[in-house]
């Protein structure tokens, strides 16, 4: 009897112990499926959308997007910036929220924004993309009477500046530069077109060394942000766990604002590359949210009784597209006729049916067909037309040989064969189907195409180095800004313009679109740009996704939208179990 | 009488299946298959077998299609061709290399093969030169051939010096066993995956990988056999009449050990077919456009309800492996 009582006591004690475990219970946590590792959580680099979602939990921008209303709203900033024009300059005056503080209680001030901009423009740091994207910000003027107010001095005029100027994570000066040595270097000195030498600024050189040594790619905890979560665990290739801060500054606000909500106490991103395994995990209740479920499985689950009982299903027309890009710096693809010919070999309707079960929609270019004001509907959608491709190839100077292959004579008298390869992220079934369809269609025409599935960690390097002929990738867009400079401007070649395309005309047009303030004229320019894109064919937009999201029924308020990642993880409310 | 009859029937079935597979593999391009290898039919994605086509005037996918719209029957036939093209040469080459190394190790042991100082010197210099060439200018491999020829000529002339004519034993057994143990100490799949990660997927690449990792098995078998054969009286007699070690090994000892290697060959082939399928299943080794049974099996992961994608390639693989094992069993019992 005594042994039994002891056993009961021990059982009760262990039960109480587990209840006191600081780890949150399953009902507190939201578990999301990620298809791969974010690679890096360095707020300067943000290599992909997955990393972007994670960085958004740790750090805050000045502005953010209300996905459902599809408009910019203030985040760290108190309100949208006040815009003034001064000659060729645009002045954007922001004020930071009075309640915003870092984790150590220090207020977030204009000096932190100036520090962030200096980091984004400092040589020796992995900030090439950020630098190219925010190159219009030339200087920052701090308000001597208000530590939270500052004015960004932007080169040129563009309505998008008011939004884009607030789209980078603000970094804490106290954590990276406790001696405040970077304050001695003016931002304007770093934003000059000619690169600054580190030897000229020993203070900057020391800072760069410190920043790189912090290994922020894998250890973002070395740089605490103002976001509501902190990374508590990163098991490489398995899971990332974010825990809600107990002393987040926005909790002290008297009125809760939608963009400053952070409801889940814990967010677990579980990395499950295989779709079948992810589906099993969803069915077993091991994950709560499965974004972009394969179309067939989505329909199958939606039709099944057990699926309907346990899960909720959401769809939204997205701004995320699948595109094929041509390396226009490589000889077989350096003329537009050859690129146009290859564009006609994609069977887009069949690909939409086969890979997305019809849950996608085609477009004439980079602009979403839902944006009717700027979408050029006078351009026909691309059709599958091998005969047209053959005609274009002949116009491009290619001649079909008796062997069936295509060759053409180069200026030096050498003969060049039309042989290509297509590079895409390995393990993506939709990309593989597209690559196989193109290969098949091209093979019928006598053009051999090799498939090059590449690990996602190597893919970006290959694309940046121009080590490919054709690539497939997804690209997220939005309905706010039409700045195609990172994607197609010649100045972005080797950084984010993987097609290496760029003519003086297209470069001018891209800049003109950004600068144009009149909506009517902007729409005209955008329509013209779509025509140029079709004529030059540096890339082909195959389709825009219709987002498919499946979530556990215990989750509410997912705020599903067509903007990446398709839901707002911080807004989700897990209902108590039972 | 009955067991023998049963064995003969099994043997006949095994041989029949292998003949079918080899014929299908060799004649694949000329067989009346309704779809070319690796063609995609986007109108019939993951279609179950035996169903009539949903689009008029198109051929039927008798064994269904995978999630990419590839015909499973075509993939099986061309997969057999890939298995044969990759595994058969790799098994042959691994057996030849393993037999050569295993027989040398078993016959000469650590002291049976003596090499004169001249050739030790020339060998050392060649090794240093080879490392230098590989690390600095891999494209100048032809320099190695020139150096080899020069080493032989210089070695012959240096042999006139009496002091350099003295010989030292070459530790053949230790080196071969060491290399084999080194390869066996790492799980083969892990080793192949690591090697496949640093080189681009290609047919010659996978052939080299399979050969490099498989030779220790025939080498161990042949070495064990040679350890037995070298103590037999006829080998003693051959030594007594003054035949050289090489002559005894190649002409008299090896033919007795060859039977072991030959018997184990179907097992090697079956293991390599299994390995090639595994690698294709994992998506490494072979380029994605080359059809293989492993790749068809892997397509089942995308659609777990597509039973036909798991069943047909698994049946083909199991039947081929069992048939090859049956051949080995018959050889051993014979």
């Amino acid at each position: 009897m005594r042994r039994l009582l002891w056993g009961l006591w021990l059982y009760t004690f262990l039960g109480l112990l587990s209840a006191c475990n600081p780890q949150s219970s399953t009902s507190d946590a939201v578990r999301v499926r990620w298809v791969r590792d974010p690679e890096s959580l360095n707020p300067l680099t943000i290599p992909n959308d997955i990393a972007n979602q994670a960085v958004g939990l740790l750090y805050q921008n000045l502005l953010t997007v209300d996905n459902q209303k599809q408009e910019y709203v203030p985040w760290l900033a108190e309100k949208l910036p006040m815009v003034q024009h001064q000659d060729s300059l645009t002045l954007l005056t922001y004020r930071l929220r009075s309640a915003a503080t870092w984790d150590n209680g220090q207020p977030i001030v204009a000096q932190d924004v100036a520090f962030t901009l200096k980091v984004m423009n400092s040589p020796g740091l992995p900030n090439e993309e950020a630098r190219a994207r925010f190159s219009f910000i030339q200087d920052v003027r701090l308000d001597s009477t208000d530590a939270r107010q500052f004015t960004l001095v932007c080169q040129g005029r563009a309505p998008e500046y008011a939004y884009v100027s607030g789209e980078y994570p603000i970094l804490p000066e106290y954590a990276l530069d406790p001696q405040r040595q970077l304050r001695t270097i003016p931002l304007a000195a770093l934003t000059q077109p000619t690169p600054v030498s580190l030897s000229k600024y020993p203070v900057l050189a020391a800072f760069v060394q410190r920043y790189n040594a912090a290994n922020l790619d894998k250890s973002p905890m070395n740089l605490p942000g103002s976001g509501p979560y902190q990374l508590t665990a990163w098991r490489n290739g398995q899971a990332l766990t974010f825990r809600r801060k107990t002393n987040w500054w926005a909790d002290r606000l008297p009125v809760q604002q939608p963009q400053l909500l952070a409801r889940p106490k814990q967010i677990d991103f579980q990395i499950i590359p295989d779709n079948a395994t992810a589906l099993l995990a969803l069915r077993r209740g091991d994950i709560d949210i499965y974004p972009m479920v394969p179309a067939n499985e989505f329909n199958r689950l939606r039709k099944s009784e057990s699926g309907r009982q346990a899960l909720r299903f959401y769809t939204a027309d997205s701004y995320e597209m699948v595109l094929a890009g041509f390396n226009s710096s490589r000889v077989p693809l350096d003329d537009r006729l050859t690129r146009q010919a290859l564009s006609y070999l994609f069977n887009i309707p069949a690909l939409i049916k086969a890979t997305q079960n019809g849950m996608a929609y085609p477009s004439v270019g980079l602009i979403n067909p839902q944006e009717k004001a700027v979408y050029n509907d006078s351009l026909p959608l691309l059709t599958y037309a091998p005969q047209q491709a053959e005609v274009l190839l002949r116009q491009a100077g290619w001649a079909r040989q008796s062997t069936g292959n295509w060759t053409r004579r180069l200026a030096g008298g050498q003969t060049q064969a039309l042989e290509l390869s297509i590079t895409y992220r390995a393990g993506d079934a939709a990309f593989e189907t597209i690559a196989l369809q193109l290969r098949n269609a091209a093979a019928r025409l006598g053009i051999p195409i090799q498939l090059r599935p590449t690990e996602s960690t190597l893919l970006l390097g290959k694309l940046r180095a121009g080590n490919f002929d054709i690539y497939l990738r997804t690209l997220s867009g939005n309905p706010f800004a039409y700045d195609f400079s990172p994607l197609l401007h010649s100045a972005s070649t080797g950084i984010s313009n993987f097609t290496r395309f760029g003519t003086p005309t297209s470069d001018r047009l891209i800049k003109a679109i950004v600068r144009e303030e009149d909506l009517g004229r902007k729409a005209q320019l955008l329509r013209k740009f779509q025509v140029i894109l079709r004529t030059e064919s540096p890339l082909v937009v195959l389709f825009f996704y219709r987002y498919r999201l499946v979530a556990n029924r215990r989750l509410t308020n997912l705020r599903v939208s067509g903007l990446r990642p398709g839901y707002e993880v911080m807004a989700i409310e897990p209902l108590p179990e039972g | 009488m009955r067991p023998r009859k049963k064995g003969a029937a099994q043997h006949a079935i095994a041989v029949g299946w292998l003949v079918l597979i080899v014929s299908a593999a060799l004649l694949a391009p000329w067989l009346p298959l309704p779809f070319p290898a690796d063609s995609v039919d986007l109108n019939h994605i993951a279609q179950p077998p035996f169903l009539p086509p949903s689009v008029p005037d198109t051929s039927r996918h008798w064994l269904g299609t995978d999630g990419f719209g590839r015909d499973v029957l075509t993939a099986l036939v061309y997969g057999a061709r890939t298995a044969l093209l990759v595994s058969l040469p790799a098994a042959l080459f691994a057996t030849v290399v393993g037999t050569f190394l295993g027989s040398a190790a078993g016959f000469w042991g650590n002291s049976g093969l003596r090499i004169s100082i001249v050739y030790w010197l020339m060998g050392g210099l060649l090794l240093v030169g080879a490392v230098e060439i590989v690390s600095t200018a891999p494209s100048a491999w032809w320099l190695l051939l020139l150096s080899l020829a020069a080493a032989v000529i210089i070695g012959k002339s240096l042999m006139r010096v009496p002091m350099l004519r003295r010989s030292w034993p070459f530790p053949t057994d230790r080196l071969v066993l060491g290399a084999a143990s080194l390869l066996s100490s790492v799980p083969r799949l892990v080793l192949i995956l690591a090697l496949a990660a640093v080189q681009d997927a290609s047919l010659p690449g996978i052939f080299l990988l399979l050969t490099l990792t498989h030779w220790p098995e025939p080498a161990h078998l042949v070495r064990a056999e040679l350890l037995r054969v070298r103590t037999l009286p006829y080998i003693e007699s051959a030594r007594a009449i003054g035949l050289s070690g090489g002559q005894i090994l190649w002409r008299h000892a090896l033919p007795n050990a060859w039977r072991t290697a030959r018997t184990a060959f179907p097992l090697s082939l079956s293991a390599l077919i299994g390995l090639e399928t595994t690698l294709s299943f994992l998506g490494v080794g072979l380029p994605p456009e080359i059809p293989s049974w492993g790749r068809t099996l892997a397509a089942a992961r995308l659609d777990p309800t597509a039973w036909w994608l798991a069943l047909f390639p698994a049946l083909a693989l199991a039947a081929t492996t069992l048939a090859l094992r049956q051949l080995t069993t018959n050889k051993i019992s014979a």
Side-chain angles (χ1 to χ4, degrees), chain A residues 276 300 429 433 436 439-440 453, chain B residues 38-39 68 288-289 301 303 305:
Chain A
R300 203 171 288 150
T433 309
L436 279 168
R439 181 176 181 272
N440 227 247
Chain B
D38 215 31
S39 68
F68 304 107
E289 58 266 30
R301 284 192 312 181
D303 188 355
T305 57

Side-chain angles (χ1 to χ4, degrees), chain A residues 186 369 389 437 448 542:
Chain A
Q437 186 272 317
L542 301 174

Side-chain angles (χ1 to χ4, degrees), chain A residues 274 276 297 300 350-351 354 424 429 432-433 436-437 439-440 450-451 453, chain B residues 37-40 42-43 45 67-68 70 288-289 295 301-305:
Chain A
D274 187 59
E297 294 302 333
R300 203 171 288 150
L351 285 171
Y424 54 93
E432 189 144 347
T433 309
L436 279 168
Q437 186 272 317
R439 181 176 181 272
N440 227 247
Q450 281 193 328
L451 306 191
Chain B
D38 215 31
S39 68
V40 287
L42 296 180
N43 293 314
I45 295 282
F68 304 107
R70 290 179 298 201
E289 58 266 30
R295 205 165 284 282
R301 284 192 312 181
L302 297 175
D303 188 355
T305 57

Side-chain angles (χ1 to χ4, degrees), chain B residues 39 78 271 327:
Chain B
S39 68
Y78 277 89
L327 283 193

Side-chain angles (χ1 to χ4, degrees), chain B residues 140-158:
Chain B
W141 55 269
W142 50 271
L143 259 178
L144 259 182
L145 290 182
L146 269 182
S147 313
L148 186 69
V152 171
I153 294 164
I154 296 168
K156 286 217 178 228
S157 55
L158 284 176

Side-chain angles (χ1 to χ4, degrees), chain A residues 43-44 46 55-56 58-63 75-77 94 96 100-102 107-120 134 137 140 150 152 164-176 211 223-227 245 249:
Chain A
L44 270 190
I46 314 183
V55 167
L58 301 171
Y59 307 94
Q60 289 178 291
N61 303 346
L62 295 172
L63 307 176
W75 205 9
L76 261 183
Y94 281 95
L96 295 164
T101 59
W102 299 111
I108 302 173
V109 291
Q111 282 288 4
D112 289 305
V113 180
F115 168 78
T116 304
L117 289 167
K118 285 173 194 172
V119 174
M120 282 162 54
F134 301 103
I137 303 176
V140 59
F150 61 94
L152 298 178
V164 182
S165 63
E167 274 206 312
Y168 41 86
I170 303 301
L171 307 178
E173 185 189 35
Y174 80 89
L176 284 173
Y211 187 97
L223 184 60
S226 63
K245 289 175 186 169
W249 64 266

